[in-house]
Amino acid sequence: MILVGQYDSPVTRRVAIALHHYGIPFTRDTRSIFGDAAAIGRISPLTRIPALVLDDGEVLIDSASILDHLDEQAGDAALIPRSGPQRRRVLQMTALAQGTLEKVAAVVYERHFHPPEHRSAVWLDRCLGQARAGLDELTKRLATPYACGAALTHADVMITTLIWYMQDRMDEVLSPSAHAALISLAEHCEALPSFRAAAPSDFEAMPRS
Ligand SMILES: N[C@@H](CCC(=O)N[C@@H](CS)C(=O)NCC(=O)O)C(=O)O
């Protein structure tokens, strides 16, 4: 199977980390979602990453839907319980981290695509406030040693790829004191083999504005 997307995309990287964690072999299409948009659009109908091209040619899009498929393959090793309150907890923590990422990315895109005089200060303030609220809520709900308790889950993966993206791109609402627990969780996870195997290379970066 082929994972389409570069690892500076936190949602692409979270699929890669799960693939490594599950020991599922894959190759990569590392063309840029911006520089090679037309080529990516021929694979992924919304011209978004990640996409996963299965061995029979079927194309899966959207990180959560892709992970649903990979979790089925992983069985009991899946990074989420099959059912029950702990499954809901993992899904909610993951949704909080992914929702925070969406607001951070909205700020990054607004600043990338619009010159300063065309940016909406109202929109930017709203997104920054939502991103800060997401980080605050994640911090409040964080368990130990992992985000949802004793085991590594998809929530830890999403939080870690989010923190990496913020530190690389837009860290103005990430507080070293208020969000210290999230940062320290991310540091711990980044040292694990599956995260190291999916570390972004130097060439994998959205063009700087
Ligand atoms: N909900 C989607 C979000 C996908 C997404 O936003 N991907 C970004 C990269 S992180 C992208 O393709 N951006 C380019 C665009 O939307 O035009 C997922 O989890 O896969």
Side-chain angles (χ1 to χ4, degrees), residues 9-11 14 33-34 47-50 62-64 98 102 109:
S9 154
V11 282
R14 84 172 176 129
I33 186 64
F34 291 103
T47 315
R48 296 178 95 187
I49 51 170
D62 191 273
S63 61
Q98 192 167 356
E102 283 167 17
Y109 286 10

Side-chain angles (χ1 to χ4, degrees), residues 4-19:
V4 181
Q6 299 186 346
Y7 289 168
D8 71 329
S9 154
V11 282
T12 301
R13 191 171 174 225
R14 84 172 176 129
V15 172
I17 291 167
L19 282 162

